Amino acid sequence: MAKVYAITNQKGGVGKTTTTVNLAASLAATKRKILLIDLDPQGNATMGCGINKAQLAHSVYDVLVAGRSVADTVVAASDCGFMVLPANQDLTAAEVELLNEIGREFRLREALAPILGDYDYILIDCPPSLNMLTINALAGATGVIIPMQCEYYALEGLSALITTINRVKQLINPKLEIEGILRTMFDGRNSLTNQVTDELRRHFGEKLYSTVIPRNVRLAEAPSHGLPILFYDKQSKGSLAYLALAGEMLRRAGKTEISSDLSANEQLGHSHG
């Protein structure tokens, strides 16, 4: 069954879309089956995968509002090796149209249920606000990846986001966990960067990815060419960082699977004992 990760931070400009697109490409490069869901009406992740948001026949809007199936709506990210559930401005209307619907926060979760077996990872690019679209992402996800810059205000925003994640966990999705915190636009020469890193390590321990995403010109250029960095400049620091992040995620997932296998075996051992 697919692991479903919401990539979110209500603060704009922290590298959410960059992370969603490039992590999708990097995980796909390891031969995993990947679906990227663009849940931001700006449609930047859609464009960053080389899909023209102005020419979409159908989008995630049709899935959330009209009940169209995900399988019939996804499109291939050209030669990047993964699938995309695309978005455009139509999605802005979904907010309003879902307001009076019963079970509105579960629309995405219900839509994903039939295709969870078709993918290894589903990555959701969330809008930069805690609105109904973000709540749909959190209700449908198993984990949250939080990209953030190492700056003073980022920590304040982070505590508000964690409060929201905990409320969603309590009220609508008990499975929801923070999968990891990712430091983006990282500059290790900056003393504030190191202070924020220490603070994050103290609060989140192993949830803090050891991989960091550096500031990188090539990474910033890639979306204008409609390509993940892996296909724009494979040797760039940005590309190598996202490949490293994919590797770190897969190692973590492997450890979790091994430990859950061990605990299952221990239970079997006890039941036979």
Side-chain angles (χ1 to χ4, degrees):
M1 293 291 267
K3 291 184 164 68
V4 184
Y5 294 147
I7 298 178
T8 188
N9 189 331
Q10 73 274 37
K11 204 169 180 301
V14 295
K16 282 189 296 294
T17 301
T18 302
T19 294
T20 312
V21 170
N22 291 302
L23 188 54
S26 298
L27 286 167
T30 70
K31 302 288 181 275
R32 303 305 195 279
K33 293 196 192 101
I34 307 299
L35 171 62
L36 182 157
I37 299 177
D38 191 350
L39 214 57
D40 186 345
Q42 294 177 76
N44 289 339
T46 300
M47 298 288 277
C49 297
I51 298 161
N52 188 336
K53 65 181 179 184
Q55 294 177 348
L56 296 175
H58 298 283
S59 71
V60 67
Y61 167 84
D62 300 288
V63 171
L64 294 175
V65 174
R68 186 180 165 83
S69 81
V70 172
D72 290 339
T73 313
V74 295
V75 287
S78 49
D79 304 322
C80 305
F82 59 92
M83 302 303 284
V84 179
L85 181 57
N88 55 22
Q89 299 79 308
D90 293 354
L91 194 52
T92 311
E95 276 278 294
V96 181
E97 291 175 43
L98 290 176
L99 271 181
N100 299 318
E101 298 286 327
I102 293 170
R104 59 188 180 265
E105 54 278 281
F106 298 114
R107 282 299 174 91
L108 186 63
R109 182 198 288 185
E110 287 160 4
L112 292 179
I115 55 110
L116 287 176
D118 301 342
Y119 296 98
D120 297 308
Y121 288 92
I122 297 175
L123 304 177
I124 309 171
D125 185 31
C126 296
S129 58
L130 295 174
N131 58 17
M132 182 49 65
L133 294 170
T134 304
I135 298 296
N136 258 273
L138 295 175
T142 46
V144 185
I145 294 173
I146 305 172
M148 62 173 286
Q149 277 180 267
C150 289
E151 53 180 41
Y152 177 70
Y153 292 118
L155 290 171
E156 276 182 27
L158 185 61
S159 61
L161 178 59
I162 285 163
T163 304
T164 303
I165 292 168
N166 288 337
R167 291 210 58 184
V168 170
K169 183 179 166 81
Q170 208 180 340
L171 299 171
I172 55 181
N173 182 3
K175 289 185 191 151
L176 191 64
E177 296 292 344
I178 292 173
E179 173 62 23
I181 291 175
L182 175 67
R183 290 163 290 165
T184 58
M185 302 174 205
F186 190 84
D187 181 356
R189 296 165 306 182
N190 183 328
S191 62
L192 182 60
T193 296
N194 298 317
Q195 285 168 20
V196 172
T197 291
D198 291 344
E199 194 79 4
L200 289 170
R201 205 166 270 129
R202 203 165 57 242
H203 283 286
F204 298 102
E206 289 185 352
K207 299 274 187 198
L208 182 66
Y209 289 117
S210 55
T211 306
V212 297
I213 310 299
R215 284 190 183 278
N216 181 242
V217 174
R218 306 296 275 167
L219 198 52
E221 290 170 355
S224 64
H225 297 268
L227 288 170
I229 186 66
L230 190 58
F231 296 92
Y232 177 62
D233 185 350
K234 193 176 183 172
Q235 296 307 318
S236 68
K237 283 182 180 168
S239 177
L240 298 173
Y242 278 109
L243 286 167
L245 177 64
E248 185 174 355
M249 280 178 65
L250 294 173
R251 281 195 304 279
R252 280 189 181 190
K255 275 185 192 165
T256 312
E257 278 156 25
I258 290 165
S259 64
S260 58
D261 285 350
L262 284 174
S263 60
N265 287 338
E266 278 169 15
Q267 283 165 358
L268 282 170
H270 287 313
S271 62
H272 290 306

